[in-house]
Amino acid sequence: MRGIWRLALVSALAVVAFAIALVNFKTVPARECQMDAVEDASFSVEFLTPFSVDPTTHTLRVTRNGAPVTGAQVCMRADMGGMGGMSGMGISNVATETEPGVYDVPVRFEMGGYWDGTVIVATGTRKPVEIPVPIEVK
Ligand SMILES: [Cu+2]
């Protein structure tokens, strides 16, 4: 009897751990990165960190007509899908502003190669803007 209860407990814990893992996995493509967005050539983004597998956080500067975009909700996603790429390999996260127009986003390019990146900028006053960023990770 004891053995069965232990087994039941271990099974229950496994189910809970699995459920937590599943929930965490599902929240990885941050909601903010799924926003319906439009392209707008007046916005641009510049990466201040190198496209390499080393950094675990990337710093980016967001500008509109050359002026810093401050107080925005910024999110970045990148996928290795596409031509000969590895479909299903993706990263995304929400950025935090560290100085006016400069945002840190905790993402790591897990491997070298071509990543199809998108930075989404929501200022709240207009439709969110998406900025395509082709990324060649060294
Ligand atoms: Cu890959």
Side-chain angles (χ1 to χ4, degrees), residues 80 86 89 111:
M80 272 200 115
M86 309 175 74
M89 196 170 174
M111 61 186 292

Side-chain angles (χ1 to χ4, degrees), residues 59 96-100 102-104:
T59 303
T96 309
E97 191 168 18
T98 56
E99 53 184 279
V102 177
Y103 298 81
D104 276 355

Side-chain angles (χ1 to χ4, degrees), residues 73-91:
Q73 189 178 52
V74 174
C75 187
M76 182 199 157
R77 61 168 194 260
D79 294 290
M80 272 200 115
M83 299 175 296
M86 309 175 74
S87 53
M89 196 170 174
I91 53 174

